[in-house]
mmCIF file of all heavy atoms in Angstrom:
data_model
loop_
_atom_site.group_PDB
_atom_site.id
_atom_site.type_symbol
_atom_site.label_atom_id
_atom_site.label_comp_id
_atom_site.label_asym_id
_atom_site.label_seq_id
_atom_site.Cartn_x
_atom_site.Cartn_y
_atom_site.Cartn_z
ATOM 1 N N SER A 361 -101.234 131.049 50.446
ATOM 2 C CA SER A 361 -101.790 129.692 50.589
ATOM 3 C C SER A 361 -102.465 129.243 49.291
ATOM 4 O O SER A 361 -102.548 128.054 49.015
ATOM 5 C CB SER A 361 -102.774 129.629 51.754
ATOM 6 O OG SER A 361 -104.087 129.953 51.323
ATOM 7 N N LEU A 362 -102.912 130.221 48.482
ATOM 8 C CA LEU A 362 -103.519 129.843 47.203
ATOM 9 C C LEU A 362 -102.494 129.183 46.278
ATOM 10 O O LEU A 362 -102.786 128.181 45.629
ATOM 11 C CB LEU A 362 -104.134 131.069 46.522
ATOM 12 C CG LEU A 362 -105.321 131.692 47.250
ATOM 13 C CD1 LEU A 362 -105.846 132.891 46.472
ATOM 14 C CD2 LEU A 362 -106.432 130.667 47.455
ATOM 15 N N SER A 363 -101.274 129.743 46.228
ATOM 16 C CA SER A 363 -100.231 129.115 45.415
ATOM 17 C C SER A 363 -99.967 127.703 45.907
ATOM 18 O O SER A 363 -99.848 126.760 45.119
ATOM 19 C CB SER A 363 -98.915 129.886 45.508
ATOM 20 O OG SER A 363 -99.136 131.253 45.452
ATOM 21 N N LEU A 364 -99.882 127.588 47.228
ATOM 22 C CA LEU A 364 -99.583 126.272 47.793
ATOM 23 C C LEU A 364 -100.700 125.288 47.464
ATOM 24 O O LEU A 364 -100.435 124.153 47.056
ATOM 25 C CB LEU A 364 -99.408 126.364 49.308
ATOM 26 C CG LEU A 364 -98.291 127.285 49.822
ATOM 27 C CD1 LEU A 364 -98.212 127.193 51.340
ATOM 28 C CD2 LEU A 364 -96.951 126.918 49.222
ATOM 29 N N SER A 365 -101.955 125.715 47.617
ATOM 30 C CA SER A 365 -103.038 124.760 47.390
ATOM 31 C C SER A 365 -103.161 124.419 45.907
ATOM 32 O O SER A 365 -103.475 123.285 45.560
ATOM 33 C CB SER A 365 -104.356 125.271 47.961
ATOM 34 O OG SER A 365 -104.657 126.551 47.474
ATOM 35 N N LEU A 366 -102.876 125.413 45.051
ATOM 36 C CA LEU A 366 -102.891 125.108 43.623
ATOM 37 C C LEU A 366 -101.839 124.070 43.284
ATOM 38 O O LEU A 366 -102.108 123.094 42.584
ATOM 39 C CB LEU A 366 -102.638 126.372 42.806
ATOM 40 C CG LEU A 366 -103.902 127.122 42.399
ATOM 41 C CD1 LEU A 366 -103.546 128.372 41.620
ATOM 42 C CD2 LEU A 366 -104.791 126.208 41.544
ATOM 43 N N PHE A 367 -100.634 124.282 43.797
ATOM 44 C CA PHE A 367 -99.574 123.296 43.523
ATOM 45 C C PHE A 367 -99.975 121.933 44.056
ATOM 46 O O PHE A 367 -99.856 120.923 43.355
ATOM 47 C CB PHE A 367 -98.252 123.737 44.161
ATOM 48 C CG PHE A 367 -97.114 122.819 43.840
ATOM 49 C CD1 PHE A 367 -96.360 123.009 42.688
ATOM 50 C CD2 PHE A 367 -96.803 121.747 44.663
ATOM 51 C CE1 PHE A 367 -95.317 122.153 42.379
ATOM 52 C CE2 PHE A 367 -95.769 120.885 44.358
ATOM 53 C CZ PHE A 367 -95.016 121.089 43.211
ATOM 54 N N SER A 368 -100.466 121.913 45.307
ATOM 55 C CA SER A 368 -100.753 120.605 45.914
ATOM 56 C C SER A 368 -101.899 119.903 45.215
ATOM 57 O O SER A 368 -101.988 118.685 45.257
ATOM 58 C CB SER A 368 -101.030 120.747 47.406
ATOM 59 O OG SER A 368 -102.235 121.444 47.594
ATOM 60 N N SER A 369 -102.774 120.650 44.532
ATOM 61 C CA SER A 369 -103.870 119.928 43.874
ATOM 62 C C SER A 369 -103.652 119.716 42.375
ATOM 63 O O SER A 369 -104.307 118.875 41.785
ATOM 64 C CB SER A 369 -105.218 120.608 44.150
ATOM 65 O OG SER A 369 -105.147 121.972 43.866
ATOM 66 N N VAL A 370 -102.712 120.454 41.775
ATOM 67 C CA VAL A 370 -102.452 120.230 40.348
ATOM 68 C C VAL A 370 -101.203 119.372 40.138
ATOM 69 O O VAL A 370 -101.245 118.339 39.461
ATOM 70 C CB VAL A 370 -102.321 121.567 39.579
ATOM 71 C CG1 VAL A 370 -101.973 121.311 38.124
ATOM 72 C CG2 VAL A 370 -103.607 122.351 39.690
#
Side-chain angles (χ1 to χ4, degrees):
Chain A
S361 89
L362 294 180
S363 318
L364 300 183
S365 54
L366 268 179
F367 184 87
S368 67
S369 51
V370 177

